[in-house]
Amino acid sequence: MLDQGSSVTRENAQRVLRDNDRGGYTVPTARLYPYQWLWDSGFSALGWQTFNEPRAWEELRRLATGQWPDGMIPHIIFHKVDPNYSPGPGAWGTSHQPPTSGISQPPVLATHLRWMLECTCDQALAEKTARELYPVLVRAHRWWRAARDPERTGLVAIYHPWESGMDNSAMWDTPMANVPTDILDPYERRDTAYIAVDQRPQKSDYDRYMALVTRFKRAGWDPEVLWAETPFKVLDPTTNCVLHRADRDLLALSDQLGIENDRAEIEGWIARGRTAFSRLWSETQGCYVPLDMLTGEKIEIGTSGGMLGFYAGVADDAQAKRMVQALEEWGRAVRYLVPSTSPLDLRFEPRRYWRGPVWPNVNWMIGVGLAEYGFSDLARRVREDLRSLIQSSGFYEYWEPTTSEGLGGAHFSWTAATWLAWIDR
Ligand code: DGY
């Protein structure tokens, strides 16, 4: 069934973004996610750019209004309070204006800014806005290092599964089992009022998500206290791959804009990151895997996040071949690549949020990375599988990787943006 009867055309993809526009920022979808999310907006901006460049830049400028004094760009900015969503501003209890959450999300923005600068039809506007946003991004990347890698290992930690963007991935089962729920403010879930429960995280996950928020709020969101006391501290492949690529793009931007000041610092992040990635490599899974900093253990599981080593550009030849081999195995087990969990893993759940379904933005990043490594056939399959999924059911949030059933929210912004700026370009 097609999403709200809309056939998959460029015009309808544009309409999704227009319908989700709340005046300068785009919500991922109405009701389920009524605010501005960091990585969703990063992808929406790429979609907007294909038909309304000033509006695309505005999307990024509105994200910058959420930046904290220490540089963090939060994962949600609550521009206008909306009772449809929980946890809202009160549950987070942060002190920024506009109100925001207190954690971040995969830092896609420097890469997207660079792509937007490359694709612009309005060079003057693009350069002016890039100059305005470049220092915002340098501060954001610096925050990741200062707050989340104070020991300068080259890899940054996340403190909450929501920071990875892959909320209930099976990657988090073991570290989340160690998160105590003794400190937990009462909370109400709103997501299951809109979406079937078998497509959303379980209650046991939500208790722990909210226990982490309660604990961090009581610590006053102080980065040093959080570093010392968080019961969830993981080196996540998605966050680190996205950040590593974004570092490289930030360096390219500094060249392009002729800004010398931060070069040595950014080069240092890139050099340290490149060597540190070996800590996350799993020959068994054929991809990168998380490492739990509190136990020192790697979390052995194949996920689409772990396949972002192509996009980051950190895989050597042997690793890249091994990743291709693993992806090909996954592609024989399901009809559509790239499932969020390896379909060969017992934890694979094809309908449940980040535990199996295919996600459009992740296919985009993996497809780009595969093409850059020269694996053009597989890159094409990753893109064409996504095209078929969108065409079969519309602009859904995610899909069942065998039946092509559209799942989660409909009329979804990053899906429309992926269509406009990647699939249909
Ligand atoms: C949600 O509410 O499901 C979000 O992913 C949390 O940011």
Side-chain angles (χ1 to χ4, degrees):
M1 198 186 70
L2 270 182
D3 155 28
Q4 301 189 357
S6 50
S7 57
V8 177
T9 61
R10 190 174 301 177
E11 291 67 35
N12 282 336
Q14 294 175 358
R15 187 163 65 90
V16 170
L17 290 179
R18 284 203 195 92
D19 288 350
N20 290 338
D21 185 4
R22 294 293 176 272
Y25 68 95
T26 314
V27 299
T29 185
R31 297 195 315 157
L32 179 63
Y33 300 124
Y35 295 112
Q36 188 178 27
W37 262 260
L38 167 51
W39 78 328
D40 290 81
S41 266
F43 286 97
S44 293
L46 297 173
W48 278 110
Q49 200 199 15
T50 63
F51 65 103
N52 184 342
E53 286 207 42
R55 179 61 188 76
W57 292 113
E58 187 57 18
E59 189 76 32
L60 301 187
R61 295 174 72 247
R62 292 300 287 273
L63 278 175
T65 66
Q67 185 167 43
W68 285 17
D70 67 1
M72 182 180 75
I73 303 184
H75 94 301
I76 309 176
I77 308 176
F78 302 107
H79 293 289
K80 276 181 242 157
V81 175
D82 186 322
N84 280 312
Y85 182 78
S86 167
W92 291 92
T94 62
S95 56
H96 192 270
Q97 277 309 321
T100 70
S101 69
I103 56 174
S104 196
Q105 233 177 9
V108 292
L109 300 183
T111 300
H112 293 190
L113 181 61
R114 183 178 178 198
W115 289 353
M116 285 166 67
L117 209 48
E118 273 166 12
C119 294
T120 186
C121 299
D122 183 344
Q123 193 65 36
L125 175 66
E127 254 198 64
K128 177 174 163 290
T129 321
R131 278 183 197 286
E132 184 188 325
L133 292 174
Y134 172 84
V136 171
L137 298 180
V138 172
R139 283 203 300 280
H141 285 217
R142 202 172 273 147
W143 170 81
W144 276 106
R145 271 47 194 228
R148 301 310 185 82
D149 183 22
E151 289 156 12
R152 293 161 66 92
T153 65
L155 295 172
V156 298
I158 59 166
Y159 295 166
H160 197 297
W162 288 344
E163 286 201 303
S164 71
M166 303 189 173
D167 303 8
N168 66 333
S169 167
M171 291 189 269
W172 315 133
D173 290 358
T174 308
M176 280 297 266
N178 296 328
V179 169
T181 48
D182 53 332
I183 303 180
L184 173 59
D185 286 345
Y187 72 93
E188 190 196 348
R189 270 182 88 166
R190 303 303 309 270
D191 59 322
T192 44
Y194 315 120
I195 304 294
V197 288
D198 67 339
Q199 298 172 31
R200 292 290 303 174
Q202 316 255 28
K203 177 180 183 308
S204 52
D205 296 317
Y206 252 83
D207 283 350
R208 289 186 167 80
Y209 299 152
M210 293 312 299
L212 288 167
V213 172
T214 307
R215 187 177 287 269
F216 299 156
K217 180 168 73 166
R218 293 195 191 169
W221 298 103
D222 178 325
E224 283 179 30
V225 179
L226 265 48
W227 174 260
E229 295 182 3
T230 177
F232 182 96
K233 197 193 247 186
V234 180
L235 303 176
D236 162 42
T238 305
T239 306
N240 280 288
C241 285
V242 168
L243 181 61
H244 189 73
R245 182 179 185 117
D247 283 339
R248 290 171 32 221
D249 290 321
L250 200 57
L251 190 65
L253 282 168
S254 79
D255 278 344
Q256 222 168 322
L257 300 172
I259 305 172
E260 284 292 314
N261 320 8
D262 321 295
R263 272 201 76 90
E265 186 181 11
I266 302 171
E267 281 167 351
W269 299 336
I270 296 170
R272 266 197 300 281
R274 192 177 296 120
T275 35
F277 265 95
S278 59
R279 294 176 65 201
L280 305 186
W281 174 249
S282 167
E283 191 62 27
T284 316
Q285 305 301 333
C287 68
Y288 293 86
V289 297
L291 192 150
D292 185 340
M293 291 187 75
L294 299 178
T295 61
E297 299 286 327
K298 272 204 227 165
I299 301 164
E300 283 292 339
I301 181 162
T303 64
S304 54
M307 292 294 176
L308 291 173
F310 295 116
Y311 174 83
V314 291
D316 63 24
D317 283 355
Q319 289 166 336
K321 284 198 186 108
R322 178 70 190 94
M323 291 206 297
V324 165
Q325 185 191 33
L327 268 177
E328 286 174 347
E329 280 165 15
W330 297 10
R332 285 190 286 277
V334 289
R335 163 65 189 85
Y336 299 98
L337 284 175
V338 178
S340 36
T341 301
S342 160
L344 311 171
D345 191 292
L346 288 176
R347 291 161 284 189
F348 172 67
E349 289 183 66
R351 293 170 60 81
R352 195 181 292 283
Y353 210 41
W354 287 97
R355 299 179 77 89
V358 177
W359 287 76
N361 58 327
V362 180
N363 269 41
W364 188 351
M365 293 188 283
I366 293 174
V368 164
L370 281 167
E372 287 171 351
Y373 268 78
F375 298 110
S376 41
D377 289 347
L378 197 51
R380 195 170 310 112
R381 168 150 184 207
V382 167
R383 195 188 61 222
E384 293 309 309
D385 281 4
L386 185 62
R387 183 196 301 276
S388 306
L389 287 170
I390 298 177
Q391 279 174 332
S392 70
S393 46
F395 300 107
Y396 269 93
E397 184 179 6
Y398 47 94
W399 293 267
E400 214 277 11
T402 295
T403 64
S404 80
E405 183 189 1
L407 300 170
H411 222 61
F412 214 85
S413 295
W414 71 15
T415 310
T418 302
W419 183 267
L420 290 167
W422 187 47
I423 307 267
D424 193 43
R425 183 164 262 182

